[in-house]
Each structure stands twice: as structure tokens, then as C-alpha cells.
Amino acid sequence: MFHQKKITSVIQQVSLRVTPCQTPRNSVSEKSTAWLMLRLGGFFLFLLLVGCSEKKDSNAPKKMAIIISTLNNPWFVFLADNAAAKAKELGYETKIFDSQNNTALESDHFENALVSGYSAVLFNPTDAEGSVVNVRKAKAAGVPVFCMDREINATDAATSQILSDSYSGCVELAKLFVQQTNKKGTYVELLGLVGDNNTWARSQGFHSVVDNYPSLKMVAQQSADFDRNKAMDVMESILQANPNIDAVFCGNDAMAMGAYQALAAAGKASKVKVFGFDGADDVVSAIKDGKIVATGMQFPKVMAQTAAIYADEYLKGKREFAQKLPVAVELVTKKNIENYAAFGKKEQ
């Protein structure tokens, strides 16, 4: 009905314009009439396309895009799969996009999601600062974004950010670190991606405790990008300059396993205490075997499911969400490892 009224209005307006254009010179009049008919035809085609588009959009199933920083790390695969599973359970089509820790590729994924009609984005950012522009682009297009695990440096772009409490988790790890080293010795810190806020939240939480003990001396602090292979290479280089370290604190479990491999290759695995953060499958096993001292257990399933539920609630009309929702991290050691499985607590 709306389009019929609009088309009628257009015809009336064009008709009114035709009358004053008529002149005694027939050739000019015919050209003007032909030109106006072409424009009128264009209007009809445009209105037809709009009508078809509106009809298609209203009938299309709603979709959620899941854009993840990297799928090279099993922890993020678990996060993505759980977000997709919950979104499907709520009735949405889903697609997982792997940004491969590349902000340019992440930007391409956002472009694809927006032009492909996704209703919401469940997002694990590649870079706290560099990812902001992508979230703002989605917001401008009317597509809500819900960050998972990693945050962005803006509080007015994402609809909500569901994040691990990395700082508090590493405070607890640091207390155990101090106890296990008897408050003295030398140690190495492996940092994650320098552009990720989690890297610095974990480092700051750790140092808020350890720096109070002057007999504990950090001999090297270096980024390994949350990557296992890179951590092994970095640790091998550090050991050449510092062969007698007592402990290694790692910003995630992948780096902890890489550091452990380097220590094992150097024949030092039994002498150096390694600490991780995440609760990955291989580190849970390594803690049982006494290879890794402890990790900070995150709960990616909780974050992924919460993001999907929030997105569903938004699409059904809710607008009030906490900008940042912290999810507690739990300390896991050999004493309580039986209570945990990979990426969370054992199912009861």
C-alpha cells in the first residue's frame, strides 16, 4: 500500500511537470516526454527493487557473525564453537570468521558481515585499539557487537563486553608464585600480544604482588604473542643469556607449554617452575604430571554463551546492558586439578 501511494504521487508530480514543458515545437516536446518517461521508468524500477529488498529482508533468517582473533589457539576455537552453538540453540544461523591476529583481515570480516545481513556480531578483538574502528562501523550500521574475553579501548562502541577478570586472576597466581619461589631468585616473564589489554592486565596483576619482594629479580620480559612456537623460540634465546633462572610466568597457557618445551630441551624442566593462564587442555594435563605449577582458569563457555544470550535479547528489544561484565578466574594447581577439565570445571 505504501508503495502504491508513493508511485501514484510520483506519477502526479511528473504529470504536473510535463504540462508546462509542452511547446509548439513538436520535436522538443517529444524529446522531453521521452526523457521524462525514462526517468519515470527508473523510478518504477527503483521502487520495485526497494519493495523486493524489504520483502527479502523481512523474511530472511537472522544471523550472528562470530569474529575471532585467531583459531590457531585451541582456547579460541573453544570460545568460537560455544558462541556458535548457543546462537544456533537460540535460532540463529552462524558463521565463524578467523582474523588470524590481523586487524586488516578483521576489518574485511566486519565488511562481509555487514553487507551479508548479519544481525549481530559476537567478537573476540585482535587489538584493543585497532579493533575499535570495526566496532564503530557496525554500530553505525545498526549491528550490535558483543566482545568476548578481550576488550576494546572504548566504552561507547560495543553494546557489551564480557571479559575475564585477568588482573585479579594473576594476583592469585602471583601469590602462589612468591610462595613457590620462597620469595627469591630470578625469573622470566613472557607477555602476550602487546596490543591486547589482557596482556597488560595480567602482567600488572602479577607485578602488583611480585614487585613487593626485592629478592625476586626479573631477568627478561619479552612478548611471544600468546603463541606456543614463538614462546619456545623466545625462551631458547633467553636461556642462552640467562641459563640459571628459577621460574617463568607466562601470559597464557600456549606460551607456558612453549616455554616448558624449551626448558625440557635444555635439560632444565625439573628445575624451573612454569606458570600459565587460561586452563587449556594440555596445561591441565601438565599440571597433573607436575610439569606446570599452576594456571588461571578462565571460563570461555560462560563468556561465549553470555554474549550470544545478550545478542538475542538485544535483537528482541532489550537495550540496557552492562558495558563491561567481568568473569572470575580461578587458581588451578595440582591440589585442586581434579575439580577441573579443559576450559572450565568438570561437569557434575
Side-chain angles (χ1 to χ4, degrees):
M1 183 65 73
F2 168 78
H3 295 306
Q4 288 177 346
K5 290 180 178 179
K6 194 168 185 178
I7 292 169
T8 303
S9 174
V10 170
I11 293 172
Q12 289 172 341
Q13 290 177 27
V14 173
S15 299
L16 288 172
R17 289 174 185 170
V18 168
T19 303
C21 290
Q22 291 176 336
T23 69
R25 299 177 65 180
N26 291 337
S27 60
V28 173
S29 175
E30 289 171 358
K31 288 179 181 178
S32 298
T33 301
W35 179 79
L36 287 168
M37 289 302 293
L38 283 173
R39 293 202 64 183
L40 185 58
F43 270 118
F44 281 135
L45 179 60
F46 171 75
L47 292 171
L48 180 63
L49 290 173
V50 169
C52 290
S53 174
E54 288 177 350
K55 184 177 181 181
K56 181 180 178 182
D57 286 345
S58 63
N59 292 331
K62 290 191 173 181
K63 304 184 290 185
M64 289 189 192
I66 300 155
I67 301 177
I68 301 294
S69 60
T70 175
L71 294 180
N72 287 336
N73 185 326
W75 195 93
F76 292 116
V77 174
F78 187 83
L79 181 78
D81 287 346
N82 274 278
K86 191 62 184 181
K88 287 177 183 175
E89 181 184 319
L90 293 168
Y92 296 87
E93 291 185 3
T94 63
K95 182 176 179 179
I96 297 173
F97 298 84
D98 179 5
S99 300
Q100 298 174 22
N101 279 332
N102 182 327
T103 52
L105 183 57
E106 178 184 282
S107 184
D108 290 343
H109 291 333
F110 266 83
E111 294 283 356
N112 289 336
L114 297 182
V115 300
S116 300
Y118 283 87
S119 304
V121 177
L122 311 184
F123 183 40
N124 174 245
T126 296
D127 186 285
E129 191 63 43
S131 296
V132 174
V133 64
N134 293 324
V135 181
R136 290 199 188 285
K137 193 181 300 178
K139 183 179 181 181
V143 176
V145 177
F146 298 84
C147 293
M148 303 180 289
D149 176 50
R150 292 180 175 178
E151 66 179 319
I152 56 171
N153 289 338
T155 55
D156 60 347
T159 303
S160 185
Q161 303 189 60
I162 302 102
L163 313 166
S164 278
D165 191 348
S166 292
Y167 183 94
S168 298
C170 283
V171 167
E172 296 305 311
L173 272 171
K175 291 177 181 176
L176 181 66
F177 185 94
V178 170
Q179 181 186 21
Q180 288 286 318
T181 55
N182 294 318
K183 306 176 184 177
K184 61 183 180 182
T186 57
Y187 72 92
V188 170
E189 181 183 8
L190 296 187
L191 299 166
L193 292 165
V194 295
D196 176 30
N197 285 3
N198 279 339
T199 293
W200 301 111
R202 293 171 191 177
S203 181
Q204 289 165 6
F206 174 74
H207 284 284
S208 71
V209 175
V210 174
D211 290 356
N212 294 314
Y213 298 88
S215 294
L216 275 171
K217 297 181 180 177
M218 185 171 67
V219 295
Q221 182 190 53
Q222 195 166 333
S223 170
D225 294 343
F226 290 137
D227 184 85
R228 179 171 181 158
N229 291 332
K230 190 168 184 178
M232 186 168 65
D233 293 341
V234 168
M235 197 67 226
E236 286 174 350
S237 298
I238 291 174
L239 284 173
Q240 291 175 8
N242 304 278
N244 297 315
I245 59 172
D246 299 297
V248 184
F249 174 72
C250 304
N252 81 341
D253 281 349
M255 294 191 297
M257 291 306 299
Y260 178 83
Q261 283 181 268
L263 289 164
K268 299 178 181 297
S270 62
K271 301 177 182 177
V272 181
K273 300 180 187 302
V274 180
F275 297 74
F277 191 96
D278 271 347
D281 186 25
D282 47 7
V283 164
V284 170
S285 298
I287 290 173
K288 288 179 182 175
D289 296 339
K291 297 176 180 176
I292 303 291
V293 176
T295 189
M297 179 63 75
Q298 299 189 82
F299 294 90
K301 186 174 182 179
V302 172
M303 288 185 278
Q305 292 188 340
T306 303
I309 290 169
Y310 275 16
D312 177 57
E313 290 176 346
Y314 181 95
L315 295 173
K316 290 177 177 174
K318 183 178 177 180
R319 288 295 180 269
E320 297 298 324
F321 295 90
Q323 175 54 215
K324 292 186 180 181
L325 179 68
V327 177
V329 174
E330 297 182 8
L331 181 65
V332 178
T333 69
K334 199 167 184 176
K335 288 183 178 178
N336 65 2
I337 191 67
E338 293 304 322
N339 298 327
Y340 295 89
F343 314 118
K345 286 186 174 177
K346 285 183 177 176
E347 299 288 342
Q348 298 298 319

